[in-house]
């Protein structure tokens, strides 16, 4: 290029820069700062003490000093930075905030020209065409995963079902800076003491963690987003490298933040404002479904689900042979047919592969045994004798809603009858409809009851901060422990009144049967109580807790549960309870429940209660 042409090019470039700067500075910042898309770019929500407040908690994400609480100040700082006279500094800023720059250019009827080497390389590696919302079901042994989890998979242009595992995933999670135990982890997670960040990682790592190690089924929902909408989401994800959030298990959690990210796909998508108090993963999937953003899900069963399915299909003789095959004693052709040998080897492989993760077996010798089982199976030229694992009829977002309110009338043998109002923030108990939930699991947060008796006296009857129970049935494959944990406030009969107490209770034991039909359990249990009931002295109790739950038809569940705890250092000698229940699901989110209860602390009480529930 000669000097004249070069001068002309430079003048044209300077002219474009000055022109774009002039147009940018002519934008109506005050009006544009209230634009819905700009508020989503900054993760702004209406606030009490200020007009808005961003859920992003790291200062590095904002360009203005008051950017966290002032969308207008942040927009002005963004325009000043992205359209500054120094083109090199402006270009660096545009590569740091490509979603903001792309949006501002669109507001000036221009297509953003990004020249960002690192961003281009990142997009080339991802090769994005679509996105899939991934929902691993609940994992009861981890407080942060009791409600399930959600993440996004980035689907590449040449992706097939067999290539999905090598795709990339977007995950948002708490990142503790200390090694806390499960109880402290749960408490800190409830009050937002952990930082939360977005990360991009290979999808197979999350499948191995959830599907294999934790044996959690996975549901995959293809999102109805075109390439341009996926591009908007990813440009904002690039901006989120400097963003850090306070992580709350109940509201500003993985599901909530992923909804905030997906809102950037289009200006008309509004998702997070539906969850002002709590965001349960299954509820957020339902929000996407109502917005018409997801396709029917695909089901990816876990190692444990597949193993249990095969265990239910294999007879005892072949089961015993599979136990031997795991140790290297392979079935002989003289003793078994080809179909039987195939069943033995396949089942032995699935079982040993499950134990590799579940029991933490030594990898090298176990891998050798797994390889030998595969080799032996490859020599038998017959199809698999096992049927495919059936997909559950009801996916998680089709189950009942997570919050519940109830209105009831309660008759008491020794005390006044009363009307009660119940409310539970989340999310499921053993008598609720099991469709879409983990069978045999109970997770209740902030289960509250107040009452008004015949004389108009109101009382605060109950507040269970957490009431969790996991009753995985033991069978010939799984030798599982059952457990429960309950912390809160209630009232017990004593000296002519229902006296109040704060308590904590927990137990370990076993469960048997089928959580979807007839299910029973027994636990060794212990508790500590204090309050008006115990004259504000710590009272300890220990004993047993047991119960049986039965599914009758599609809509009815019957339950019988009881406990006997012997009390120490107390005027009363026992804390005994027994309850018989019938739960009738009238529809997905409406139910009736009747209960007859027996309580014995200082004295006995028998009561009957009829409740109508609405889930929302």
């Amino acid at each position: 290029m000669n000097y004249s042409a070069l001068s002309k090019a430079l003048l044209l470039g300077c002219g474009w820069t000055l022109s774009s700067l002039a147009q940018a500075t002519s934008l109506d910042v005050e009006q544009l700062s209230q634009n819905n898309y700009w508020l989503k770019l900054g993760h702004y929500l209406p606030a009490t003490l200020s007009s808005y407040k961003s859920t992003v908690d790291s200062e590095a994400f904002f360009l203005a000093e008051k950017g966290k609480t002032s969308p207008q100040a942040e927009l002005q700082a963004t325009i000043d930075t992205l359209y500054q006279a120094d083109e090199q500094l402006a270009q660096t800023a545009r590569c740091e905030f490509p979603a903001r720059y792309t949006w501002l250019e669109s507001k000036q009827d221009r297509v953003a020209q990004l020249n960002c080497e690192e961003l281009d390389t990142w997009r080339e590696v991802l090769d994005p065409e679509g996105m899939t919302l991934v929902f691993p079901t609940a994992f009861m042994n981890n407080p942060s995963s009791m409600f399930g989890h959600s993440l996004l998979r980035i689907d590449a242009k040449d992706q097939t079902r067999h290539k999905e595992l090598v795709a990339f995933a977007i995950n948002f999670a708490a990142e503790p800076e200390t090694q806390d135990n499960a109880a402290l982890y749960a408490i800190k997670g409830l009050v937002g003491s952990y930082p939360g960040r977005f990360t991009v990682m290979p999808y197979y790592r999350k499948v191995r963690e959830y599907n294999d190690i934790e044996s959690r089924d996975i549901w995959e929902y293809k999102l109805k987003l075109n390439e341009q909408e996926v591009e908007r989401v990813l440009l904002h994800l690039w901006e989120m490298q400097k963003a850090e959030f306070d992580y709350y298990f109940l509201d500003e959690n993985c599901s909530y933040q992923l909804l905030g990210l997906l809102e950037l796909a289009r200006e008309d998508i509004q998702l997070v404002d539906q969850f002002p108090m709590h965001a349960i993963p299954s509820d957020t999937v339902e929000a996407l479904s109502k917005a018409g953003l997801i396709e029917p899900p695909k089901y990816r069963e876990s190692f444990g689900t597949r193993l249990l399915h095969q265990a239910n299909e294999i007879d005892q003789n072949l089961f015993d042979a599979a136990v031997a095959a795991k140790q290297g004693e392979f079935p002989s052709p003289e003793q078994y047919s080809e179909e039987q040998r195939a069943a033995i080897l396949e089942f032995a492989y699935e079982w040993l592969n499950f134990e590799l993760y579940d029991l933490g077996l030594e990898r090298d010798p176990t891998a050798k045994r797994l390889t030998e089982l595969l080799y032996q199976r490859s020599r038998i030229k017959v199809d698999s004798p096992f049927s495919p694992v059936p997909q559950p009829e009801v996916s998680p977002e089709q189950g009942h809603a997570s919050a519940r309110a109830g209105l009831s009338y309660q008759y008491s043998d020794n005390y006044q009858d009363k009307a009660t109002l119940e409310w539970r923030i989340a999310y499921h108990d053993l008598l609720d409809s099991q469709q879409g939930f983990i069978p045999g699991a109970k997770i209740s947060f902030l289960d509250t009851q107040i009452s008004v008796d015949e004389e108009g006296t109101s009382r605060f009857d109950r507040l269970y901060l957490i009431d969790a129970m996991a009753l995985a049935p033991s069978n010939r494959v799984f030798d599982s422990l059952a457990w429960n944990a309950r912390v809160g406030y209630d009232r017990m009969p004593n000296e002519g009144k229902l006296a109040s107490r704060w308590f904590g209770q927990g137990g370990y034991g076993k469960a048997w049967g089928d959580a979807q039909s007839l299910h029973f359990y027994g636990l060794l249990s212990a508790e500590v109580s204090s309050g008006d009931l115990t004259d504000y002295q710590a009272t300890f109790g220990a004993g047993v807790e047991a119960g049986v739950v039965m599914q009758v038809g599609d809509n009815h569940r019957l339950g019988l549960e009881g406990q006997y705890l012997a009390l120490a250092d107390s005027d009363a000698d026992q804390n005994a309870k027994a309850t018989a229940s019938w739960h009738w699901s009238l529809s997905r989110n409406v139910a009736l429940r009747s209960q007859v209860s027996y309580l014995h602390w200082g004295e006995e009480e028998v009561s009957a209660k009829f409740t109508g529930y609405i889930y929302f």
Side-chain angles (χ1 to χ4, degrees):
M1 181 183 293
N2 59 35
Y3 177 79
S4 176
L6 179 60
S7 299
K8 184 178 181 180
L10 289 172
L11 287 171
L12 285 172
C14 291
W16 182 89
T17 301
L18 293 173
S19 174
S20 63
L21 178 60
Q23 290 185 49
T25 54
S26 67
L27 291 170
D28 188 338
V29 176
E30 182 177 358
Q31 181 180 3
L32 202 57
S33 67
Q34 301 302 306
N35 182 279
N36 183 51
Y37 200 81
W38 172 250
L39 296 176
K40 292 192 291 187
L41 279 168
H43 295 257
Y44 290 107
L45 295 176
T48 303
L49 299 179
S50 60
S51 58
Y52 289 97
K53 185 177 181 180
S54 175
T55 56
V56 179
D57 294 295
S58 50
E59 294 182 0
F61 178 75
F62 302 101
L63 295 172
E65 183 178 351
K66 297 181 180 180
K68 182 175 175 65
T69 57
S70 176
Q72 183 174 338
E74 184 65 16
L75 178 57
Q76 185 63 65
T78 298
I79 292 173
D80 293 343
T81 302
L82 299 183
Y83 294 95
Q84 59 185 292
D86 189 321
E87 180 62 21
Q88 185 174 356
L89 292 178
Q91 180 61 32
T92 300
R94 292 167 191 166
C95 292
E96 190 174 349
F97 294 99
R100 298 190 192 188
Y101 179 64
T102 300
W103 176 71
L104 284 170
E105 286 290 276
S106 70
K107 291 302 175 184
Q108 300 168 84
D109 298 321
R110 295 197 298 263
V111 176
Q113 301 297 321
L114 291 169
N115 183 21
C116 310
E117 184 176 350
E118 291 185 8
L119 175 60
D120 291 341
T121 301
W122 183 68
R123 287 191 290 189
E124 287 175 8
V125 171
L126 297 179
D127 193 24
E129 182 179 54
M131 279 186 168
T132 295
L133 179 76
V134 179
F135 179 82
T137 55
F139 181 56
M140 291 297 295
N141 292 332
N142 185 338
S144 68
S145 299
M146 283 185 169
F147 301 117
H149 184 56
S150 56
L151 61 151
L152 293 172
R153 189 183 69 221
I154 304 169
D155 298 323
K157 290 184 173 66
D158 62 345
Q159 184 169 294
T160 64
R161 182 65 173 169
H162 298 293
K163 291 183 178 181
E164 287 172 351
L165 291 179
V166 296
F168 286 90
I170 303 169
N171 191 51
F172 182 87
E175 297 186 358
E177 297 174 352
T178 57
Q179 295 294 325
D180 296 326
N181 59 43
L184 185 59
Y185 186 74
I187 293 171
K188 285 187 173 182
L190 288 172
V191 299
S193 294
Y194 292 127
R197 300 182 184 91
F198 285 100
T199 54
V200 178
M201 62 188 66
Y203 181 51
Y204 72 83
R205 284 178 50 189
K206 304 308 291 182
V207 171
R208 184 175 65 178
E209 175 185 348
Y210 298 133
N211 232 187
D212 303 343
I213 298 175
E214 296 180 352
S215 199
R216 298 161 67 177
D217 296 335
I218 291 177
W219 294 83
E220 299 169 335
Y221 301 81
K222 181 73 174 177
L223 291 167
K224 297 179 180 179
L225 301 178
N226 59 39
E227 286 190 49
Q228 184 181 16
E229 291 165 345
V230 171
E231 172 77 359
R232 292 193 191 108
V233 173
L234 292 178
L235 286 180
H236 184 61
L237 177 65
W238 179 265
E239 294 182 345
M240 302 304 287
Q241 294 179 84
K242 292 186 176 182
E244 184 177 291
F245 302 78
D246 289 338
Y247 189 98
Y248 293 87
F249 288 162
L250 290 180
D251 50 10
E252 294 179 26
N253 53 25
C254 59
S255 297
Y256 180 91
Q257 299 298 355
L258 288 178
L259 289 184
L261 186 63
L262 288 174
E263 284 188 332
L264 274 299
R266 293 200 304 262
E267 292 206 19
D268 62 343
I269 298 178
Q270 290 294 126
L271 298 171
V272 299
D273 58 359
Q274 301 177 43
F275 302 95
M277 297 185 63
H278 66 282
I280 304 300
S282 57
D283 287 345
T284 60
V285 178
E286 183 185 9
L288 289 169
S289 178
K290 288 181 177 179
L293 291 173
I294 57 175
E295 297 179 1
K298 294 180 180 178
Y299 174 70
R300 190 185 294 272
E301 76 274 4
S302 68
F303 272 7
T305 298
R306 188 164 59 249
L307 178 60
L308 182 60
H309 173 73
Q310 293 185 358
N312 292 332
E313 290 193 338
I314 196 169
D315 65 39
Q316 187 62 48
N317 181 44
L318 302 185
F319 181 92
D320 295 337
V323 174
K326 285 199 302 173
Q327 306 302 320
E329 299 177 21
F330 304 122
S332 65
E334 293 78 17
Q335 190 174 1
Y336 300 99
S337 68
E338 286 193 335
E339 288 77 11
Q340 289 176 323
R341 288 163 55 215
I344 292 168
L345 294 169
E346 283 188 33
F347 183 63
Y349 175 83
E350 291 289 350
W351 196 350
L352 185 59
N353 204 18
F354 175 82
E355 291 180 335
L356 171 64
Y357 293 102
D358 186 59
L359 303 179
L361 300 179
E362 192 174 350
R363 178 164 293 277
D364 287 345
T366 305
K368 290 180 180 179
R369 281 189 284 159
L370 287 169
T371 301
E372 184 61 25
L373 285 168
L374 285 178
Y375 171 69
Q376 294 291 335
R377 174 62 181 92
S378 69
R379 298 172 61 190
I380 305 173
K381 307 302 181 183
V382 298
D383 294 335
S384 174
F386 297 107
S387 65
V389 177
Q391 177 171 314
E393 295 181 1
V394 178
S395 53
E397 83 284 1
Q398 296 176 320
H400 66 74
S402 61
R404 188 183 75 183
L407 185 64
S408 64
Y409 180 81
Q410 182 171 328
Y411 160 82
S412 178
D413 197 25
N414 294 323
Y415 306 102
Q416 292 192 16
D417 297 350
K418 57 188 178 182
T420 69
L421 178 64
E422 302 179 27
W423 178 70
R424 183 186 70 191
I425 189 171
Y427 109 113
H428 181 69
D429 66 33
L430 296 179
L431 293 173
D432 288 327
S433 172
Q434 303 292 292
Q435 294 185 338
F437 290 83
I438 301 297
K442 173 182 181 178
I443 317 165
S444 291
F445 274 92
L446 302 180
D447 189 357
T448 307
Q449 176 180 299
I450 59 176
S451 65
V452 180
D453 64 22
E454 294 173 310
E455 295 183 352
T457 303
S458 59
R459 286 187 177 87
F460 191 72
D461 291 333
R462 181 181 73 229
L463 173 60
Y464 290 164
L465 300 176
I466 181 172
D467 186 1
M469 180 177 284
L471 303 176
S474 292
N475 49 55
R476 59 180 181 171
V477 174
F478 302 118
D479 185 19
S480 305
L481 274 178
W483 61 267
N484 75 344
R486 189 178 302 121
V487 177
Y489 168 96
D490 64 9
R491 295 178 180 272
M492 296 292 290
N494 189 47
E495 299 179 354
K497 66 177 182 178
L498 291 170
S500 62
R501 64 163 184 160
W502 287 93
F503 73 96
Q505 181 177 354
Y508 276 98
K510 304 287 288 186
W512 301 270
D514 186 343
Q516 296 180 338
S517 55
L518 182 62
H519 192 199
F520 52 100
Y521 64 92
L523 308 173
L524 295 176
S525 187
E527 73 170 9
V528 58
S529 304
S530 182
D532 181 45
L533 179 68
T534 66
D535 295 326
Y536 299 95
Q537 301 296 316
T539 296
F540 297 91
V544 295
E545 184 175 353
V548 58
V549 182
M550 182 170 61
Q551 182 76 37
V552 181
D554 294 332
N555 302 319
H556 301 274
R557 288 181 67 78
L558 305 178
L560 179 63
E561 59 181 352
Q563 71 171 37
Y564 181 89
L565 304 180
L567 301 177
D569 301 323
S570 172
D571 294 335
D573 59 1
Q574 62 182 278
N575 176 7
K577 299 179 181 179
T579 303
S581 306
W582 167 47
H583 182 93
W584 180 13
S585 298
L586 299 177
S587 64
R588 178 192 168 204
N589 286 320
V590 179
L592 299 175
R593 184 178 298 184
S594 60
Q595 293 180 312
V596 177
S597 300
Y598 168 83
L599 299 178
H600 189 177
W601 186 282
E603 59 189 18
E604 297 179 323
E605 182 206 10
V606 177
S607 64
K609 184 178 180 182
F610 184 77
T611 309
Y613 286 121
I614 294 178
Y615 302 81
F616 58 96

